Amino acid sequence: TNAINNTAGAVFESGSVVAVGAGNLVSNAGLLSPGGYNNVFVTTLTGNLAQAATGTYGADFDLQASASDRLAVSGSATLAGTVQVNLINPLAAPGYARPGTAATTLLTATEGLTTSGLNLAAFQTAVARYGLVLPDANTLSLQWAVNYAPAGLTPSETTLGKAINALQADQTSPAFRPIATNLFYLPDVGTLGHAYDSLMGSGVAAAQ
């Protein structure tokens, strides 16, 4: 009987194949990272997977390619603990992110997926929001929404945000991507609104 026990505080950087055999178990109480960090990777696991409350599934996510790490489990999967999202190429990839809502598959389990108190650790901003979704009984996905005109802005700020959404949807203005990236990381709507006010120059116009 084969098993892999990744204990609390340990790191398991899985390769393309993990084969403990049908009915056998990979248990994770530490960090499980397909292919290691900063490397979008797919691991095929023959057997079952159980992640404990102390365990972390470290998932790389590439905004530019809309792709993430994925675990393909042939048996069942039970997940507690945390999914930790690591953004690939964080200084450039957000400039390629198109507005809207999308999802990428993090894990599939052929014989069923069960979650218990599973948490998401991701850098939420005024522009980008992340969440875990279960589209069916066998799949765990990371969902993200990008919107440069979130609720809570003033009408003029919202107008500018919608213009930025249009620029980012088009992806035909590469010189704007560094600005979009800086706006992408602003932590809350109030900070985003202040940034828009400075870009618009409305104070100067009012003074004139």
Side-chain angles (χ1 to χ4, degrees):
T1 301
N2 298 314
I4 294 177
N5 299 307
N6 193 47
T7 58
V11 177
F12 179 20
E13 295 181 347
S14 58
S16 58
V17 174
V18 175
V20 293
N24 294 328
L25 182 66
V26 173
S27 63
N28 178 44
L31 171 63
L32 170 57
S33 174
Y37 272 127
N38 296 317
N39 177 28
V40 172
F41 198 80
V42 177
T43 291
T44 299
L45 191 160
T46 303
N48 300 326
L49 172 68
Q51 179 168 289
T54 59
T56 297
Y57 172 16
D60 291 310
F61 174 51
D62 186 347
L63 263 171
Q64 184 174 349
S66 298
S68 67
D69 285 345
R70 180 162 56 89
L71 282 167
V73 181
S74 70
S76 64
T78 303
L79 297 179
T82 303
V83 174
Q84 174 85 49
V85 175
N86 176 56
L87 193 61
I88 295 286
N89 195 13
L91 298 182
Y96 294 85
R98 285 181 163 84
T101 301
T104 180
T105 300
L106 295 175
L107 182 145
T108 58
T110 303
E111 295 181 8
L113 167 65
T114 304
T115 63
S116 176
L118 185 63
N119 299 306
L120 175 66
F123 187 60
Q124 312 279 4
T125 73
V127 171
R129 308 298 297 176
Y130 304 91
L132 296 175
V133 293
L134 301 168
D136 55 53
N138 307 91
T139 306
L140 174 69
S141 296
L142 174 69
Q143 185 179 77
W144 71 96
V146 174
N147 182 11
Y148 284 89
L153 296 173
T154 67
S156 57
E157 292 165 354
T158 298
T159 298
L160 179 55
K162 288 179 177 179
I164 294 172
N165 277 339
L167 279 169
Q168 290 303 98
D170 253 5
Q171 287 295 318
T172 54
S173 302
F176 188 75
R177 287 177 186 144
I179 300 172
T181 297
N182 281 305
L183 295 171
F184 181 92
Y185 285 115
L186 295 180
D188 53 59
V189 174
T191 306
L192 181 66
H194 288 313
Y196 284 174
D197 291 341
S198 66
L199 288 172
M200 288 185 293
S202 54
V204 175
Q208 290 174 340

